[in-house]
Amino acid sequence: MESGYVTTPFGRRPMSLGMLASQQLAETIEPGMKRSKWKLFRAICEARPALGVTDRALTVLDALLTFYPDDEISEEKGLIVFPSNVQLSLRARGMTPATLRRHLAVLVEAGLILRKDSPNGKRYARRDRAGAVGEAFGFSVAPLLARAFEIESLAAQAVADRELLRVTRERLTVCRRDISKLIAAALEEGISGDWEGISAMFRALLARIPRVATAEDLAPLLDEMGLLRAEIVNMLERRIKAKKMDANESQIEHHKQNSNPHSHNELEPSFEPKQGEKAAAANDPNAGPSDERRLKQQKPSGGMSNRAGGTADPGAGPGLKSFPLGLVLQACPSILDYGPGGSIGNWRDLMSAAVVVRSMLGVSPSAYEEACSGMGPENAATVIACILERGGHINSPGGYLRDLTRRTERGEFAIGPMLMALVRANGPAARHAS
């Protein structure tokens, strides 16, 4: 483009200060400057909102660049393209002439191309005898080269903003999920706290998220949700620490109980000897005092039989029917986490876990001892497992256990219906329990 040369549009199209500024900017191209036309076009697509052009206008610019003879735009190779409207329309995906003119005007207003109109408004080029283009009239792509640094900077900023928005949205999504599930877990576990107020605060934050948001819109919301999540986690961690302390205390208490070899509340199942064994031991001249003492201490423990599924001894008072350990664990799978090593393989493991759970639920040692005496240690452990499984529905586990013990003594309580209800609640697979 000739230095200092100002061209005005042909026909009725008016001249504007913006066009004059674009022409002056086009004269500031640094010597030897080059750019790949397609890389520059991709940068323009990235920076489209900042440049104020539409996607249809970019379709027209794409078509114009196809008429530029080389892949690199430079002053040495010329900056004017001069396609006819017919050819330009074909390469613009069949765009109508009126639409084509409108989007060409958008590109000119955005300062991406310049018009260099001929005296009669036609687009053409004059060539010398060697066939080289001497002077051309059409559209100049000089502003693209002159604004290359600006366009590339705008594109890089747009990419960075889009990536920041993506990362912010992802973090907000994860934070929303965390808060929702942590609140649900706290309510499910029955952990004390103002969960209604926290839920209302969470819903208020969600209502403030705009449908079309920028990273600047979401950043303060993410900060507030992060603080809310941290507070919920702190509340739950305090509860976990309290549970660990209770578990340690119960282990110490369990050790003290087992240190008394004559305690009738020991967790090992006490089985009643047969009548013949009692008589043989009484008539055995070799039986020592310890054997006599053992026989005296082997009293009925709630009428439990030594066979799973057996019935209570009629002479032992209001006994309870026992059930297979497998059925108990299917009905009450939550107790498994409290067994030795996180598993339960026999009745002793179940009763050890019941002592831990008893302390965690706030059931007093005296209430549990009464249950062991009235129901038998195996059935008392089974009832503790059932209370743990239904923890969210029982306000006072200790009072509930005492009530069941009294009902057992009056012959008004049976474990079977409680177990069957929990089996059905834990899914169809549990109904196949042996």
Side-chain angles (χ1 to χ4, degrees), residues 36-108:
S36 167
K37 64 181 181 181
W38 298 124
K39 288 183 179 180
L40 193 56
F41 177 72
R42 283 194 292 272
I44 293 170
C45 292
E46 293 284 0
R48 180 177 68 82
L51 294 172
V53 292
T54 63
D55 53 349
R56 297 296 298 279
L58 291 182
T59 300
V60 175
L61 180 60
D62 181 26
L64 276 175
L65 290 176
T66 63
F67 290 97
Y68 193 83
D70 296 283
D71 286 337
E72 286 189 335
I73 301 174
S74 65
E75 282 192 293
E76 290 78 9
K77 297 174 183 177
L79 297 172
I80 306 294
V81 292
F82 40 90
S84 66
N85 281 345
V86 173
Q87 292 299 318
L88 186 58
S89 175
L90 288 175
R91 297 198 187 182
R93 282 74 170 170
M95 192 175 290
T96 62
T99 305
L100 190 65
R101 287 193 296 270
R102 186 169 67 254
H103 292 300
L104 284 170
V106 171
L107 293 173
V108 172

Side-chain angles (χ1 to χ4, degrees), residues 5 10 79-85 115-128 132-140:
Y5 181 79
F10 172 78
L79 297 172
I80 306 294
V81 292
F82 40 90
S84 66
N85 281 345
R115 292 182 185 272
K116 186 180 179 183
D117 289 342
S118 65
N120 62 2
K122 301 294 184 181
R123 300 176 202 134
Y124 58 89
R126 291 198 181 97
R127 301 179 183 273
D128 57 20
V133 175
E135 185 176 17
F137 298 96
F139 297 102
S140 172

Side-chain angles (χ1 to χ4, degrees), residues 1 16 33 49 51 83 176 234 263 307 344 391 399 413 420 422 429:
M1 188 171 183
S16 67
M33 188 175 181
L51 294 172
R176 289 172 60 181
N234 287 337
S263 172
R307 296 189 309 273
I344 293 176
F413 172 65
M420 291 302 105
L422 290 174

